[in-house]
PDB file of all heavy atoms in Angstrom:
ATOM      1  N   PHE A 123      -7.014 -13.443 -26.476  1.00 98.00           N
ATOM      2  CA  PHE A 123      -6.999 -12.078 -26.966  1.00 98.00           C
ATOM      3  C   PHE A 123      -8.402 -11.762 -27.474  1.00 98.00           C
ATOM      4  O   PHE A 123      -8.664 -11.632 -28.675  1.00 98.00           O
ATOM      5  CB  PHE A 123      -5.977 -11.930 -27.985  1.00 98.00           C
ATOM      6  CG  PHE A 123      -4.634 -11.629 -27.452  1.00 98.00           C
ATOM      7  CD1 PHE A 123      -3.840 -12.682 -26.974  1.00 98.00           C
ATOM      8  CD2 PHE A 123      -4.148 -10.345 -27.321  1.00 98.00           C
ATOM      9  CE1 PHE A 123      -2.533 -12.444 -26.408  1.00 98.00           C
ATOM     10  CE2 PHE A 123      -2.853 -10.069 -26.808  1.00 98.00           C
ATOM     11  CZ  PHE A 123      -2.110 -11.117 -26.373  1.00 98.00           C
ATOM     12  N   SER A 124      -9.400 -11.771 -26.529  1.00 97.00           N
ATOM     13  CA  SER A 124     -10.777 -11.676 -26.867  1.00 97.00           C
ATOM     14  C   SER A 124     -11.344 -10.308 -27.162  1.00 97.00           C
ATOM     15  O   SER A 124     -12.455 -10.129 -27.684  1.00 97.00           O
ATOM     16  CB  SER A 124     -11.528 -12.264 -25.694  1.00 97.00           C
ATOM     17  OG  SER A 124     -11.309 -11.535 -24.500  1.00 97.00           O
ATOM     18  N   GLY A 125     -10.642  -9.243 -26.686  1.00 97.00           N
ATOM     19  CA  GLY A 125     -11.188  -7.921 -26.726  1.00 97.00           C
ATOM     20  C   GLY A 125     -11.982  -7.568 -25.524  1.00 97.00           C
ATOM     21  O   GLY A 125     -12.441  -6.469 -25.331  1.00 97.00           O
ATOM     22  N   ARG A 126     -12.158  -8.527 -24.595  1.00 97.00           N
ATOM     23  CA  ARG A 126     -12.964  -8.423 -23.385  1.00 97.00           C
ATOM     24  C   ARG A 126     -11.983  -8.529 -22.207  1.00 97.00           C
ATOM     25  O   ARG A 126     -11.627  -9.704 -21.835  1.00 97.00           O
ATOM     26  CB  ARG A 126     -14.047  -9.446 -23.373  1.00 97.00           C
ATOM     27  CG  ARG A 126     -15.116  -9.271 -24.462  1.00 97.00           C
ATOM     28  CD  ARG A 126     -16.237 -10.293 -24.352  1.00 97.00           C
ATOM     29  NE  ARG A 126     -15.669 -11.654 -24.314  1.00 97.00           N
ATOM     30  CZ  ARG A 126     -15.382 -12.375 -25.350  1.00 97.00           C
ATOM     31  NH1 ARG A 126     -15.453 -11.858 -26.548  1.00 97.00           N
ATOM     32  NH2 ARG A 126     -14.985 -13.674 -25.213  1.00 97.00           N
ATOM     33  N   PRO A 127     -11.632  -7.437 -21.577  1.00 98.00           N
ATOM     34  CA  PRO A 127     -10.678  -7.528 -20.416  1.00 98.00           C
ATOM     35  C   PRO A 127     -11.254  -8.239 -19.257  1.00 98.00           C
ATOM     36  O   PRO A 127     -12.444  -8.049 -18.898  1.00 98.00           O
ATOM     37  CB  PRO A 127     -10.465  -6.043 -20.108  1.00 98.00           C
ATOM     38  CG  PRO A 127     -10.922  -5.302 -21.262  1.00 98.00           C
ATOM     39  CD  PRO A 127     -11.960  -6.074 -21.874  1.00 98.00           C
ATOM     40  N   GLY A 128     -10.474  -9.122 -18.725  1.00 98.00           N
ATOM     41  CA  GLY A 128     -10.869  -9.819 -17.499  1.00 98.00           C
ATOM     42  C   GLY A 128      -9.707 -10.578 -16.855  1.00 98.00           C
ATOM     43  O   GLY A 128      -8.922 -11.246 -17.583  1.00 98.00           O
ATOM     44  N   LEU A 129      -9.532 -10.422 -15.559  1.00 98.00           N
ATOM     45  CA  LEU A 129      -8.463 -11.111 -14.855  1.00 98.00           C
ATOM     46  C   LEU A 129      -9.086 -12.004 -13.782  1.00 98.00           C
ATOM     47  O   LEU A 129      -9.929 -11.528 -12.978  1.00 98.00           O
ATOM     48  CB  LEU A 129      -7.479 -10.203 -14.134  1.00 98.00           C
ATOM     49  CG  LEU A 129      -6.422 -10.783 -13.254  1.00 98.00           C
ATOM     50  CD1 LEU A 129      -5.561 -11.682 -14.028  1.00 98.00           C
ATOM     51  CD2 LEU A 129      -5.650  -9.729 -12.452  1.00 98.00           C
ATOM     52  N   PHE A 130      -8.759 -13.275 -13.907  1.00 98.00           N
ATOM     53  CA  PHE A 130      -9.294 -14.242 -12.863  1.00 98.00           C
ATOM     54  C   PHE A 130      -8.061 -15.002 -12.281  1.00 98.00           C
ATOM     55  O   PHE A 130      -7.456 -15.863 -12.927  1.00 98.00           O
ATOM     56  CB  PHE A 130     -10.212 -15.247 -13.539  1.00 98.00           C
ATOM     57  CG  PHE A 130     -11.354 -14.495 -14.242  1.00 98.00           C
ATOM     58  CD1 PHE A 130     -11.228 -14.148 -15.519  1.00 98.00           C
ATOM     59  CD2 PHE A 130     -12.508 -14.137 -13.523  1.00 98.00           C
ATOM     60  CE1 PHE A 130     -12.206 -13.383 -16.183  1.00 98.00           C
ATOM     61  CE2 PHE A 130     -13.454 -13.435 -14.190  1.00 98.00           C
ATOM     62  CZ  PHE A 130     -13.340 -13.072 -15.536  1.00 98.00           C
ATOM     63  N   MET A 131      -7.585 -14.505 -11.086  1.00 98.00           N
ATOM     64  CA  MET A 131      -6.334 -14.933 -10.549  1.00 98.00           C
ATOM     65  C   MET A 131      -6.573 -15.617  -9.180  1.00 98.00           C
ATOM     66  O   MET A 131      -7.148 -15.046  -8.257  1.00 98.00           O
ATOM     67  CB  MET A 131      -5.388 -13.677 -10.351  1.00 98.00           C
ATOM     68  CG  MET A 131      -4.037 -14.032  -9.925  1.00 98.00           C
ATOM     69  SD  MET A 131      -3.014 -12.452 -10.135  1.00 98.00           S
ATOM     70  CE  MET A 131      -1.477 -13.095  -9.427  1.00 98.00           C
ATOM     71  N   ASN A 132      -6.118 -16.837  -9.160  1.00 98.00           N
ATOM     72  CA  ASN A 132      -6.261 -17.669  -7.944  1.00 98.00           C
ATOM     73  C   ASN A 132      -4.900 -18.078  -7.478  1.00 98.00           C
ATOM     74  O   ASN A 132      -4.379 -19.149  -7.859  1.00 98.00           O
ATOM     75  CB  ASN A 132      -7.212 -18.916  -8.259  1.00 98.00           C
ATOM     76  CG  ASN A 132      -7.352 -19.767  -6.984  1.00 98.00           C
ATOM     77  OD1 ASN A 132      -7.282 -19.287  -5.850  1.00 98.00           O
ATOM     78  ND2 ASN A 132      -7.673 -21.015  -7.188  1.00 98.00           N
ATOM     79  N   VAL A 133      -4.318 -17.200  -6.675  1.00 98.00           N
ATOM     80  CA  VAL A 133      -2.969 -17.421  -6.130  1.00 98.00           C
ATOM     81  C   VAL A 133      -2.865 -16.981  -4.696  1.00 98.00           C
ATOM     82  O   VAL A 133      -3.256 -15.924  -4.381  1.00 98.00           O
ATOM     83  CB  VAL A 133      -1.872 -16.612  -6.903  1.00 98.00           C
ATOM     84  CG1 VAL A 133      -0.499 -16.871  -6.460  1.00 98.00           C
ATOM     85  CG2 VAL A 133      -2.009 -16.977  -8.452  1.00 98.00           C
ATOM     86  N   GLU A 134      -2.426 -17.886  -3.843  1.00 98.00           N
ATOM     87  CA  GLU A 134      -2.133 -17.560  -2.467  1.00 98.00           C
ATOM     88  C   GLU A 134      -0.691 -17.707  -2.184  1.00 98.00           C
ATOM     89  O   GLU A 134      -0.214 -18.757  -1.985  1.00 98.00           O
ATOM     90  CB  GLU A 134      -2.948 -18.493  -1.530  1.00 98.00           C
ATOM     91  CG  GLU A 134      -4.488 -18.321  -1.654  1.00 98.00           C
ATOM     92  CD  GLU A 134      -5.277 -19.205  -0.650  1.00 98.00           C
ATOM     93  OE1 GLU A 134      -4.643 -19.763   0.288  1.00 98.00           O
ATOM     94  OE2 GLU A 134      -6.490 -19.361  -0.840  1.00 98.00           O
ATOM     95  N   PHE A 135      -0.003 -16.534  -2.275  1.00 98.00           N
ATOM     96  CA  PHE A 135       1.459 -16.521  -2.007  1.00 98.00           C
ATOM     97  C   PHE A 135       1.739 -16.859  -0.555  1.00 98.00           C
ATOM     98  O   PHE A 135       1.016 -16.436   0.356  1.00 98.00           O
ATOM     99  CB  PHE A 135       2.039 -15.163  -2.339  1.00 98.00           C
ATOM    100  CG  PHE A 135       2.129 -14.940  -3.864  1.00 98.00           C
ATOM    101  CD1 PHE A 135       1.252 -14.095  -4.468  1.00 98.00           C
ATOM    102  CD2 PHE A 135       3.161 -15.615  -4.571  1.00 98.00           C
ATOM    103  CE1 PHE A 135       1.352 -13.916  -5.852  1.00 98.00           C
ATOM    104  CE2 PHE A 135       3.284 -15.402  -5.909  1.00 98.00           C
ATOM    105  CZ  PHE A 135       2.339 -14.592  -6.617  1.00 98.00           C
ATOM    106  N   THR A 136       2.780 -17.649  -0.321  1.00 98.00           N
ATOM    107  CA  THR A 136       3.103 -18.071   1.034  1.00 98.00           C
ATOM    108  C   THR A 136       3.968 -17.011   1.723  1.00 98.00           C
ATOM    109  O   THR A 136       4.253 -17.233   2.935  1.00 98.00           O
ATOM    110  CB  THR A 136       3.859 -19.398   0.963  1.00 98.00           C
ATOM    111  OG1 THR A 136       5.075 -19.227   0.146  1.00 98.00           O
ATOM    112  CG2 THR A 136       2.978 -20.462   0.389  1.00 98.00           C
ATOM    113  N   ARG A 137       4.389 -16.024   1.044  1.00 97.00           N
ATOM    114  CA  ARG A 137       5.076 -14.844   1.683  1.00 97.00           C
ATOM    115  C   ARG A 137       4.480 -13.519   1.231  1.00 97.00           C
ATOM    116  O   ARG A 137       3.892 -13.474   0.150  1.00 97.00           O
ATOM    117  CB  ARG A 137       6.605 -14.865   1.337  1.00 97.00           C
ATOM    118  CG  ARG A 137       7.402 -15.938   1.988  1.00 97.00           C
ATOM    119  CD  ARG A 137       8.799 -15.952   1.519  1.00 97.00           C
ATOM    120  NE  ARG A 137       9.489 -14.690   1.531  1.00 97.00           N
ATOM    121  CZ  ARG A 137      10.659 -14.386   0.991  1.00 97.00           C
ATOM    122  NH1 ARG A 137      11.291 -15.329   0.323  1.00 97.00           N
ATOM    123  NH2 ARG A 137      11.164 -13.250   1.044  1.00 97.00           N
ATOM    124  N   ALA A 138       4.630 -12.514   2.040  1.00 98.00           N
ATOM    125  CA  ALA A 138       3.986 -11.200   1.751  1.00 98.00           C
ATOM    126  C   ALA A 138       4.905 -10.369   0.872  1.00 98.00           C
ATOM    127  O   ALA A 138       4.340  -9.497   0.223  1.00 98.00           O
ATOM    128  CB  ALA A 138       3.752 -10.430   3.057  1.00 98.00           C
ATOM    129  N   SER A 139       6.136 -10.713   0.777  1.00 97.00           N
ATOM    130  CA  SER A 139       7.030  -9.946  -0.135  1.00 97.00           C
ATOM    131  C   SER A 139       8.137 -10.833  -0.692  1.00 97.00           C
ATOM    132  O   SER A 139       8.581 -11.811  -0.083  1.00 97.00           O
ATOM    133  CB  SER A 139       7.645  -8.706   0.607  1.00 97.00           C
ATOM    134  OG  SER A 139       8.430  -9.184   1.686  1.00 97.00           O
ATOM    135  N   LEU A 140       8.617 -10.415  -1.852  1.00 96.00           N
ATOM    136  CA  LEU A 140       9.753 -11.010  -2.497  1.00 96.00           C
ATOM    137  C   LEU A 140      10.747  -9.895  -2.876  1.00 96.00           C
ATOM    138  O   LEU A 140      10.390  -9.045  -3.700  1.00 96.00           O
ATOM    139  CB  LEU A 140       9.378 -11.835  -3.781  1.00 96.00           C
ATOM    140  CG  LEU A 140       8.482 -13.052  -3.391  1.00 96.00           C
ATOM    141  CD1 LEU A 140       7.778 -13.549  -4.718  1.00 96.00           C
ATOM    142  CD2 LEU A 140       9.486 -14.187  -2.990  1.00 96.00           C
ATOM    143  N   GLY A 141      11.924  -9.967  -2.260  1.00 90.00           N
ATOM    144  CA  GLY A 141      12.808  -8.767  -2.391  1.00 90.00           C
ATOM    145  C   GLY A 141      12.058  -7.544  -1.867  1.00 90.00           C
ATOM    146  O   GLY A 141      11.478  -7.564  -0.736  1.00 90.00           O
ATOM    147  N   ASN A 142      11.974  -6.467  -2.646  1.00 87.00           N
ATOM    148  CA  ASN A 142      11.278  -5.234  -2.266  1.00 87.00           C
ATOM    149  C   ASN A 142       9.949  -5.136  -2.866  1.00 87.00           C
ATOM    150  O   ASN A 142       9.333  -4.093  -2.935  1.00 87.00           O
ATOM    151  CB  ASN A 142      12.095  -3.970  -2.640  1.00 87.00           C
ATOM    152  CG  ASN A 142      12.276  -3.853  -4.114  1.00 87.00           C
ATOM    153  OD1 ASN A 142      12.131  -4.803  -4.871  1.00 87.00           O
ATOM    154  ND2 ASN A 142      12.721  -2.636  -4.522  1.00 87.00           N
ATOM    155  N   LEU A 143       9.357  -6.358  -3.254  1.00 96.00           N
ATOM    156  CA  LEU A 143       8.058  -6.317  -3.981  1.00 96.00           C
ATOM    157  C   LEU A 143       7.003  -7.046  -3.139  1.00 96.00           C
ATOM    158  O   LEU A 143       7.125  -8.264  -2.771  1.00 96.00           O
ATOM    159  CB  LEU A 143       8.281  -7.034  -5.263  1.00 96.00           C
ATOM    160  CG  LEU A 143       7.004  -7.165  -6.183  1.00 96.00           C
ATOM    161  CD1 LEU A 143       6.486  -5.825  -6.505  1.00 96.00           C
ATOM    162  CD2 LEU A 143       7.310  -7.948  -7.500  1.00 96.00           C
ATOM    163  N   ASP A 144       5.949  -6.304  -2.854  1.00 97.00           N
ATOM    164  CA  ASP A 144       4.793  -6.830  -2.113  1.00 97.00           C
ATOM    165  C   ASP A 144       4.103  -7.817  -3.144  1.00 97.00           C
ATOM    166  O   ASP A 144       3.783  -7.483  -4.229  1.00 97.00           O
ATOM    167  CB  ASP A 144       3.852  -5.734  -1.767  1.00 97.00           C
ATOM    168  CG  ASP A 144       2.642  -6.149  -0.983  1.00 97.00           C
ATOM    169  OD1 ASP A 144       2.247  -7.309  -1.067  1.00 97.00           O
ATOM    170  OD2 ASP A 144       2.028  -5.229  -0.332  1.00 97.00           O
ATOM    171  N   THR A 145       3.832  -9.039  -2.724  1.00 98.00           N
ATOM    172  CA  THR A 145       3.237  -9.974  -3.614  1.00 98.00           C
ATOM    173  C   THR A 145       1.859  -9.633  -3.989  1.00 98.00           C
ATOM    174  O   THR A 145       1.381 -10.164  -5.000  1.00 98.00           O
ATOM    175  CB  THR A 145       3.267 -11.444  -3.030  1.00 98.00           C
ATOM    176  OG1 THR A 145       2.655 -11.451  -1.722  1.00 98.00           O
ATOM    177  CG2 THR A 145       4.698 -11.995  -2.897  1.00 98.00           C
ATOM    178  N   GLN A 146       1.121  -8.773  -3.252  1.00 97.00           N
ATOM    179  CA  GLN A 146      -0.207  -8.355  -3.708  1.00 97.00           C
ATOM    180  C   GLN A 146      -0.090  -7.549  -4.977  1.00 97.00           C
ATOM    181  O   GLN A 146      -1.131  -7.457  -5.752  1.00 97.00           O
ATOM    182  CB  GLN A 146      -0.779  -7.393  -2.604  1.00 97.00           C
ATOM    183  CG  GLN A 146      -1.224  -8.093  -1.352  1.00 97.00           C
ATOM    184  CD  GLN A 146      -1.875  -7.177  -0.349  1.00 97.00           C
ATOM    185  OE1 GLN A 146      -1.552  -5.959  -0.410  1.00 97.00           O
ATOM    186  NE2 GLN A 146      -2.756  -7.677   0.475  1.00 97.00           N
ATOM    187  N   LEU A 147       1.072  -7.016  -5.338  1.00 98.00           N
ATOM    188  CA  LEU A 147       1.238  -6.153  -6.519  1.00 98.00           C
ATOM    189  C   LEU A 147       1.248  -6.984  -7.829  1.00 98.00           C
ATOM    190  O   LEU A 147       1.036  -6.373  -8.866  1.00 98.00           O
ATOM    191  CB  LEU A 147       2.446  -5.288  -6.393  1.00 98.00           C
ATOM    192  CG  LEU A 147       2.430  -4.276  -5.267  1.00 98.00           C
ATOM    193  CD1 LEU A 147       3.696  -3.439  -5.298  1.00 98.00           C
ATOM    194  CD2 LEU A 147       1.173  -3.402  -5.387  1.00 98.00           C
ATOM    195  N   PHE A 148       1.458  -8.288  -7.726  1.00 98.00           N
ATOM    196  CA  PHE A 148       1.339  -9.084  -8.949  1.00 98.00           C
ATOM    197  C   PHE A 148      -0.041  -9.017  -9.543  1.00 98.00           C
ATOM    198  O   PHE A 148      -0.214  -8.956 -10.721  1.00 98.00           O
ATOM    199  CB  PHE A 148       1.696 -10.571  -8.683  1.00 98.00           C
ATOM    200  CG  PHE A 148       3.160 -10.748  -8.327  1.00 98.00           C
ATOM    201  CD1 PHE A 148       3.565 -11.393  -7.125  1.00 98.00           C
ATOM    202  CD2 PHE A 148       4.131 -10.387  -9.251  1.00 98.00           C
ATOM    203  CE1 PHE A 148       4.862 -11.561  -6.865  1.00 98.00           C
ATOM    204  CE2 PHE A 148       5.472 -10.553  -8.980  1.00 98.00           C
ATOM    205  CZ  PHE A 148       5.860 -11.163  -7.758  1.00 98.00           C
ATOM    206  N   TRP A 149      -1.112  -8.932  -8.653  1.00 98.00           N
ATOM    207  CA  TRP A 149      -2.424  -8.807  -9.113  1.00 98.00           C
ATOM    208  C   TRP A 149      -2.587  -7.455  -9.838  1.00 98.00           C
ATOM    209  O   TRP A 149      -3.251  -7.403 -10.864  1.00 98.00           O
ATOM    210  CB  TRP A 149      -3.446  -8.907  -7.979  1.00 98.00           C
ATOM    211  CG  TRP A 149      -4.877  -8.949  -8.492  1.00 98.00           C
ATOM    212  CD1 TRP A 149      -5.582 -10.095  -8.621  1.00 98.00           C
ATOM    213  CD2 TRP A 149      -5.760  -7.861  -8.693  1.00 98.00           C
ATOM    214  NE1 TRP A 149      -6.914  -9.703  -9.086  1.00 98.00           N
ATOM    215  CE2 TRP A 149      -6.974  -8.378  -9.090  1.00 98.00           C
ATOM    216  CE3 TRP A 149      -5.536  -6.468  -8.642  1.00 98.00           C
ATOM    217  CZ2 TRP A 149      -8.069  -7.621  -9.464  1.00 98.00           C
ATOM    218  CZ3 TRP A 149      -6.674  -5.650  -8.952  1.00 98.00           C
ATOM    219  CH2 TRP A 149      -7.896  -6.219  -9.331  1.00 98.00           C
ATOM    220  N   GLU A 150      -2.024  -6.389  -9.293  1.00 98.00           N
ATOM    221  CA  GLU A 150      -2.075  -5.055  -9.915  1.00 98.00           C
ATOM    222  C   GLU A 150      -1.432  -5.091 -11.351  1.00 98.00           C
ATOM    223  O   GLU A 150      -1.953  -4.468 -12.292  1.00 98.00           O
ATOM    224  CB  GLU A 150      -1.405  -4.023  -9.074  1.00 98.00           C
ATOM    225  CG  GLU A 150      -2.084  -3.846  -7.635  1.00 98.00           C
ATOM    226  CD  GLU A 150      -3.519  -3.328  -7.686  1.00 98.00           C
ATOM    227  OE1 GLU A 150      -3.880  -2.768  -8.707  1.00 98.00           O
ATOM    228  OE2 GLU A 150      -4.131  -3.431  -6.676  1.00 98.00           O
ATOM    229  N   PHE A 151      -0.274  -5.755 -11.458  1.00 98.00           N
ATOM    230  CA  PHE A 151       0.388  -5.814 -12.747  1.00 98.00           C
ATOM    231  C   PHE A 151      -0.484  -6.560 -13.749  1.00 98.00           C
ATOM    232  O   PHE A 151      -0.694  -5.981 -14.823  1.00 98.00           O
ATOM    233  CB  PHE A 151       1.714  -6.593 -12.562  1.00 98.00           C
ATOM    234  CG  PHE A 151       2.361  -6.917 -13.922  1.00 98.00           C
ATOM    235  CD1 PHE A 151       3.148  -5.917 -14.488  1.00 98.00           C
ATOM    236  CD2 PHE A 151       2.237  -8.121 -14.539  1.00 98.00           C
ATOM    237  CE1 PHE A 151       3.765  -6.200 -15.730  1.00 98.00           C
ATOM    238  CE2 PHE A 151       2.787  -8.397 -15.714  1.00 98.00           C
ATOM    239  CZ  PHE A 151       3.516  -7.461 -16.376  1.00 98.00           C
ATOM    240  N   PHE A 152      -0.988  -7.712 -13.402  1.00 99.00           N
ATOM    241  CA  PHE A 152      -1.798  -8.491 -14.389  1.00 99.00           C
ATOM    242  C   PHE A 152      -3.129  -7.778 -14.657  1.00 99.00           C
ATOM    243  O   PHE A 152      -3.608  -7.886 -15.806  1.00 99.00           O
ATOM    244  CB  PHE A 152      -1.974  -9.929 -13.950  1.00 99.00           C
ATOM    245  CG  PHE A 152      -0.688 -10.744 -13.987  1.00 99.00           C
ATOM    246  CD1 PHE A 152      -0.124 -11.274 -12.851  1.00 99.00           C
ATOM    247  CD2 PHE A 152      -0.162 -11.002 -15.242  1.00 99.00           C
ATOM    248  CE1 PHE A 152       1.011 -12.010 -12.958  1.00 99.00           C
ATOM    249  CE2 PHE A 152       0.948 -11.812 -15.400  1.00 99.00           C
ATOM    250  CZ  PHE A 152       1.567 -12.292 -14.247  1.00 99.00           C
ATOM    251  N   GLN A 153      -3.685  -7.098 -13.631  1.00 98.00           N
ATOM    252  CA  GLN A 153      -4.962  -6.376 -13.913  1.00 98.00           C
ATOM    253  C   GLN A 153      -4.697  -5.279 -14.903  1.00 98.00           C
ATOM    254  O   GLN A 153      -5.458  -5.068 -15.891  1.00 98.00           O
ATOM    255  CB  GLN A 153      -5.499  -5.802 -12.616  1.00 98.00           C
ATOM    256  CG  GLN A 153      -6.762  -5.031 -12.771  1.00 98.00           C
ATOM    257  CD  GLN A 153      -7.962  -5.947 -13.059  1.00 98.00           C
ATOM    258  OE1 GLN A 153      -8.400  -6.668 -12.221  1.00 98.00           O
ATOM    259  NE2 GLN A 153      -8.450  -5.968 -14.280  1.00 98.00           N
ATOM    260  N   GLY A 154      -3.555  -4.496 -14.764  1.00 98.00           N
ATOM    261  CA  GLY A 154      -3.256  -3.515 -15.695  1.00 98.00           C
ATOM    262  C   GLY A 154      -3.015  -4.018 -17.123  1.00 98.00           C
ATOM    263  O   GLY A 154      -3.542  -3.439 -18.102  1.00 98.00           O
ATOM    264  N   PHE A 155      -2.358  -5.188 -17.146  1.00 99.00           N
ATOM    265  CA  PHE A 155      -2.058  -5.758 -18.466  1.00 99.00           C
ATOM    266  C   PHE A 155      -3.325  -6.189 -19.175  1.00 99.00           C
ATOM    267  O   PHE A 155      -3.597  -5.944 -20.346  1.00 99.00           O
ATOM    268  CB  PHE A 155      -1.158  -6.971 -18.385  1.00 99.00           C
ATOM    269  CG  PHE A 155      -0.767  -7.585 -19.687  1.00 99.00           C
ATOM    270  CD1 PHE A 155       0.346  -7.185 -20.439  1.00 99.00           C
ATOM    271  CD2 PHE A 155      -1.576  -8.626 -20.185  1.00 99.00           C
ATOM    272  CE1 PHE A 155       0.654  -7.763 -21.601  1.00 99.00           C
ATOM    273  CE2 PHE A 155      -1.264  -9.187 -21.460  1.00 99.00           C
ATOM    274  CZ  PHE A 155      -0.190  -8.735 -22.154  1.00 99.00           C
ATOM    275  N   ALA A 156      -4.204  -6.969 -18.381  1.00 98.00           N
ATOM    276  CA  ALA A 156      -5.417  -7.472 -19.009  1.00 98.00           C
ATOM    277  C   ALA A 156      -6.335  -6.378 -19.488  1.00 98.00           C
ATOM    278  O   ALA A 156      -6.984  -6.436 -20.598  1.00 98.00           O
ATOM    279  CB  ALA A 156      -6.156  -8.328 -17.961  1.00 98.00           C
ATOM    280  N   ASN A 157      -6.461  -5.300 -18.653  1.00 98.00           N
ATOM    281  CA  ASN A 157      -7.359  -4.212 -19.031  1.00 98.00           C
ATOM    282  C   ASN A 157      -6.947  -3.508 -20.302  1.00 98.00           C
ATOM    283  O   ASN A 157      -7.699  -3.125 -21.121  1.00 98.00           O
ATOM    284  CB  ASN A 157      -7.444  -3.194 -17.924  1.00 98.00           C
ATOM    285  CG  ASN A 157      -8.324  -3.664 -16.801  1.00 98.00           C
ATOM    286  OD1 ASN A 157      -9.075  -4.561 -16.894  1.00 98.00           O
ATOM    287  ND2 ASN A 157      -8.213  -2.948 -15.638  1.00 98.00           N
ATOM    288  N   HIS A 158      -5.581  -3.396 -20.525  1.00 98.00           N
ATOM    289  CA  HIS A 158      -5.106  -2.599 -21.611  1.00 98.00           C
ATOM    290  C   HIS A 158      -4.698  -3.360 -22.843  1.00 98.00           C
ATOM    291  O   HIS A 158      -4.695  -2.833 -23.909  1.00 98.00           O
ATOM    292  CB  HIS A 158      -4.008  -1.628 -21.106  1.00 98.00           C
ATOM    293  CG  HIS A 158      -4.534  -0.580 -20.200  1.00 98.00           C
ATOM    294  ND1 HIS A 158      -4.990   0.579 -20.629  1.00 98.00           N
ATOM    295  CD2 HIS A 158      -4.771  -0.594 -18.865  1.00 98.00           C
ATOM    296  CE1 HIS A 158      -5.468   1.265 -19.566  1.00 98.00           C
ATOM    297  NE2 HIS A 158      -5.332   0.578 -18.503  1.00 98.00           N
ATOM    298  N   ALA A 159      -4.352  -4.691 -22.626  1.00 98.00           N
ATOM    299  CA  ALA A 159      -4.138  -5.555 -23.773  1.00 98.00           C
ATOM    300  C   ALA A 159      -5.541  -6.090 -24.299  1.00 98.00           C
ATOM    301  O   ALA A 159      -5.626  -6.714 -25.342  1.00 98.00           O
ATOM    302  CB  ALA A 159      -3.262  -6.685 -23.505  1.00 98.00           C
ATOM    303  N   LYS A 160      -6.569  -5.966 -23.493  1.00 98.00           N
ATOM    304  CA  LYS A 160      -7.988  -6.328 -23.719  1.00 98.00           C
ATOM    305  C   LYS A 160      -7.956  -7.836 -23.934  1.00 98.00           C
ATOM    306  O   LYS A 160      -8.429  -8.396 -24.880  1.00 98.00           O
ATOM    307  CB  LYS A 160      -8.541  -5.629 -24.920  1.00 98.00           C
ATOM    308  CG  LYS A 160      -8.690  -4.140 -24.716  1.00 98.00           C
ATOM    309  CD  LYS A 160      -9.298  -3.395 -25.835  1.00 98.00           C
ATOM    310  CE  LYS A 160      -9.375  -1.888 -25.526  1.00 98.00           C
ATOM    311  NZ  LYS A 160      -9.904  -1.108 -26.611  1.00 98.00           N
ATOM    312  N   VAL A 161      -7.469  -8.542 -22.906  1.00 98.00           N
ATOM    313  CA  VAL A 161      -7.431  -9.962 -22.965  1.00 98.00           C
ATOM    314  C   VAL A 161      -8.168 -10.526 -21.711  1.00 98.00           C
ATOM    315  O   VAL A 161      -8.382  -9.873 -20.701  1.00 98.00           O
ATOM    316  CB  VAL A 161      -5.958 -10.565 -22.874  1.00 98.00           C
ATOM    317  CG1 VAL A 161      -5.163 -10.102 -24.112  1.00 98.00           C
ATOM    318  CG2 VAL A 161      -5.248 -10.168 -21.554  1.00 98.00           C
ATOM    319  N   THR A 162      -8.684 -11.771 -21.862  1.00 98.00           N
ATOM    320  CA  THR A 162      -9.148 -12.514 -20.717  1.00 98.00           C
ATOM    321  C   THR A 162      -7.944 -13.349 -20.231  1.00 98.00           C
ATOM    322  O   THR A 162      -7.401 -14.119 -21.005  1.00 98.00           O
ATOM    323  CB  THR A 162     -10.352 -13.461 -21.112  1.00 98.00           C
ATOM    324  OG1 THR A 162     -11.359 -12.622 -21.740  1.00 98.00           O
ATOM    325  CG2 THR A 162     -10.905 -14.165 -19.911  1.00 98.00           C
ATOM    326  N   LEU A 163      -7.711 -13.255 -18.940  1.00 99.00           N
ATOM    327  CA  LEU A 163      -6.499 -13.906 -18.353  1.00 99.00           C
ATOM    328  C   LEU A 163      -6.839 -14.686 -17.134  1.00 99.00           C
ATOM    329  O   LEU A 163      -7.388 -14.118 -16.175  1.00 99.00           O
ATOM    330  CB  LEU A 163      -5.502 -12.798 -18.064  1.00 99.00           C
ATOM    331  CG  LEU A 163      -4.129 -13.205 -17.569  1.00 99.00           C
ATOM    332  CD1 LEU A 163      -3.396 -14.123 -18.494  1.00 99.00           C
ATOM    333  CD2 LEU A 163      -3.331 -11.917 -17.305  1.00 99.00           C
ATOM    334  N   HIS A 164      -6.604 -15.962 -17.119  1.00 99.00           N
ATOM    335  CA  HIS A 164      -6.766 -16.845 -16.022  1.00 99.00           C
ATOM    336  C   HIS A 164      -5.450 -17.286 -15.531  1.00 99.00           C
ATOM    337  O   HIS A 164      -4.681 -17.816 -16.221  1.00 99.00           O
ATOM    338  CB  HIS A 164      -7.655 -18.094 -16.387  1.00 99.00           C
ATOM    339  CG  HIS A 164      -9.091 -17.733 -16.656  1.00 99.00           C
ATOM    340  ND1 HIS A 164     -10.055 -18.037 -15.759  1.00 99.00           N
ATOM    341  CD2 HIS A 164      -9.666 -17.257 -17.782  1.00 99.00           C
ATOM    342  CE1 HIS A 164     -11.220 -17.647 -16.259  1.00 99.00           C
ATOM    343  NE2 HIS A 164     -11.015 -17.189 -17.494  1.00 99.00           N
TER     344      HIS A 164
END
């Protein structure tokens, strides 16, 4: 909880979707969280 937003995500999903959710959208979720909680997230 640094006050400096940053997302560093190293994940290679083995499927393109889970249910009706595109796995690329996990990055979007965590990017939105990191930017607005103002956290550095690995």
Side-chain angles (χ1 to χ4, degrees):
F123 276 82
S124 61
R126 296 183 304 279
L129 173 64
F130 306 91
M131 187 169 174
N132 182 23
V133 181
E134 294 184 13
F135 285 103
T136 58
R137 284 176 52 192
S139 63
L140 290 161
N142 63 343
L143 180 59
D144 183 338
T145 53
Q146 290 182 332
L147 296 182
F148 290 124
W149 189 91
E150 300 292 343
F151 171 84
F152 286 115
Q153 181 71 72
F155 182 89
N157 283 346
H158 292 271
K160 297 182 179 177
V161 298
T162 303
L163 182 59
H164 289 258

